[in-house]
Amino acid sequence: MKIIDFMGSRKLALAVSLLLILVSIGSFITRQLNWGLDFTGGTLVEVHYSDTADLGSIRTLLQDSGFAGAIVVAYGSDRDVMIRLPQGASEADGPALLQALQGGFAGQVELRRTEFVGPQVGDELREQGGLAMLLASGMIMLYISFRFQSKFALAAVIALVHDVVITLGFFSVTGLEFNLTVLAAILAVIGYSINDTIVVFDRIRENFRKLRDTSVVATINISLSETLGRTLVTSLTTVLVLAALALLGGDMIFGFAVALLVGVAVGTYSSVYMASSLLLLLGVTRQDLVVPLKEGLDHDDQLP
C-alpha cells in the first residue's frame, strides 16, 4: 500500500482552514445568517389548487400584489402550495392573500391552513438550537476522552467546531435561508464528522501500539493512508444521495441537502487533515496511549 504524506501538507491545510474560518466569522459579523421563518417569525399559509399550480406565476403574482419576500414552495403534490410570508405579516393577511391567488387562477384555490409564528418563538428556537449543538459537542468530548485520551478529545472537538463554523459560514456568504431543516443538517454533520474522525483515531491508536519504531508523523500518515479508501467510499456514496436530494427534492429539502453536502465535504477534509494535524499541535506521543503494564508480565507480552 502506498503511504501518502498527508502531514507534509498540514501547514498549508491549517492555513486554508484558518482563512475559511476568518471569512466565515467576518461574514457572520457583516451579513449574519439569512434566518428563515422558523427563527424570525412570520406567517405560514397552505393552499390547495384545483389544478396544477405554477409556482413561478404565483411568485410573480404575490410580488405584484404587495406580498414582497414571500417564499412559495410545493409540498405533497403539484396542487398543494406552501407560502411563507416574512416578519411583519399576520394571520389577517390570509384572506387578502387568498383573494390575490384566486384572482390569478381560473380554477378554485382553497385555504387549508394559516399559522403565525411569533418572534418570541423564533428566539427560543434559535437559543435551543445553539444549546443542542453545545450539548452535542460536550458529550462527544466526554466520550472521546473516555475511549481515547484528552488530547484526542480536544482535537476532535476543535475539528467539529471547524466543520460547523465553515458550514454556517457558507450559508452566511451565499445568503441561503437558514431554517430548522438546515439546523437539523448541521447536527447531522456533527455526527457524520465525528464518526469519520473516530475511525481515523482508532487506527492511529492501533498503529501507535503496533509500530513501535515509527515516528509519530509517519504513524499518522500510515493510519490515514489505511483508512483513506473507507473514507472516500463513504463520502462519495453519501454525496451522490445528497446531490440527488438537492437537485430533485424540491425547495422544501434543498437547504437540508446543501448543508449536508457542504458539511460532508468539510468533514471529510477535516478528518483527514485537521483532526490529525491538531493531534501533532497538541503534542500527542506514543506514551499517551500506552496500555498500563500488569504486574508479573513483560511489556512485550501485553502488546496487541
Side-chain angles (χ1 to χ4, degrees):
M1 182 187 66
K2 181 180 180 180
I3 305 302
I4 304 173
D5 185 16
F6 290 103
M7 293 298 95
S9 307
R10 66 182 183 276
K11 292 183 179 179
L12 176 61
L14 289 171
V16 171
S17 293
L18 181 60
L19 176 62
L20 291 175
I21 289 174
L22 290 176
V23 170
S24 299
I25 293 175
S27 184
F28 293 151
I29 296 173
T30 58
R31 295 167 56 90
Q32 298 187 351
L33 289 168
N34 179 21
W35 299 105
L37 177 66
D38 301 316
F39 295 100
T40 61
T43 303
L44 178 69
V45 180
E46 293 180 5
V47 295
H48 176 76
Y49 281 73
S50 59
D51 201 353
T52 302
D54 186 344
L55 299 183
S57 299
I58 294 174
R59 294 187 183 100
T60 303
L61 176 63
L62 293 179
Q63 183 72 26
D64 296 339
S65 301
F67 294 97
I71 300 174
V72 181
V73 296
Y75 78 99
S77 71
D78 57 2
R79 298 185 181 187
D80 295 308
V81 177
M82 179 183 295
I83 301 170
R84 299 184 178 187
L85 301 177
Q87 188 175 10
S90 66
E91 294 185 19
D93 292 326
L97 176 67
L98 182 63
Q99 184 177 358
L101 294 175
Q102 186 65 72
F105 184 68
Q108 293 294 320
V109 182
E110 178 186 352
L111 180 64
R112 291 285 179 87
R113 179 168 70 103
T114 302
E115 180 180 343
F116 177 70
V117 181
Q120 182 61 36
V121 175
D123 291 340
E124 291 176 359
L125 288 173
R126 189 181 308 162
E127 180 181 351
Q128 291 171 3
L131 289 176
M133 285 191 284
L134 288 175
L135 180 61
S137 299
M139 297 302 293
I140 287 169
M141 191 169 185
L142 288 175
Y143 168 73
I144 298 179
S145 296
F146 174 77
R147 178 168 177 177
F148 294 96
Q149 195 259 357
S150 58
K151 292 178 183 177
F152 283 77
L154 185 57
V157 170
I158 294 175
L160 281 182
V161 172
H162 162 274
D163 299 347
V164 171
V165 169
I166 293 178
T167 305
L168 291 175
F170 174 83
F171 275 82
S172 177
V173 170
T174 58
L176 291 174
E177 181 183 342
F178 189 89
N179 50 35
L180 282 181
T181 60
V182 176
L183 176 60
I186 298 295
L187 294 175
V189 165
I190 292 176
Y192 180 93
S193 181
I194 196 61
N195 176 70
D196 223 14
T197 301
I198 286 176
V199 170
V200 173
F201 280 180
D202 204 40
R203 185 57 59 90
I204 291 174
R205 177 178 61 178
E206 179 183 340
N207 284 334
F208 265 159
R209 295 174 178 175
K210 288 169 56 179
L211 308 174
R212 299 170 58 189
D213 299 325
T214 308
S215 67
V216 173
V217 172
T219 301
I220 291 177
N221 282 330
I222 292 171
S223 303
L224 291 172
S225 299
E226 289 176 348
T227 57
L228 181 63
R230 178 262 178 203
T231 299
L232 291 179
V233 168
T234 302
S235 298
L236 287 176
T237 52
T238 306
V239 165
L240 288 175
V241 174
L242 293 174
L245 286 175
L247 294 174
L248 306 174
D251 294 336
M252 289 290 291
I253 203 171
F254 179 76
F256 177 83
V258 168
L260 278 177
L261 275 172
V262 175
V264 167
V266 176
T268 301
Y269 156 80
S270 173
S271 298
V272 174
Y273 282 104
M274 282 301 300
S276 302
S277 299
L278 288 169
L279 284 180
L280 292 178
L281 287 178
L282 293 172
V284 69
T285 63
R286 184 169 282 100
Q287 286 68 33
D288 291 326
L289 295 172
V290 167
V291 179
L293 290 175
K294 297 179 181 179
E295 295 184 5
L297 292 177
D298 295 331
H299 178 73
D300 291 339
D301 295 333
Q302 299 189 54
L303 288 177

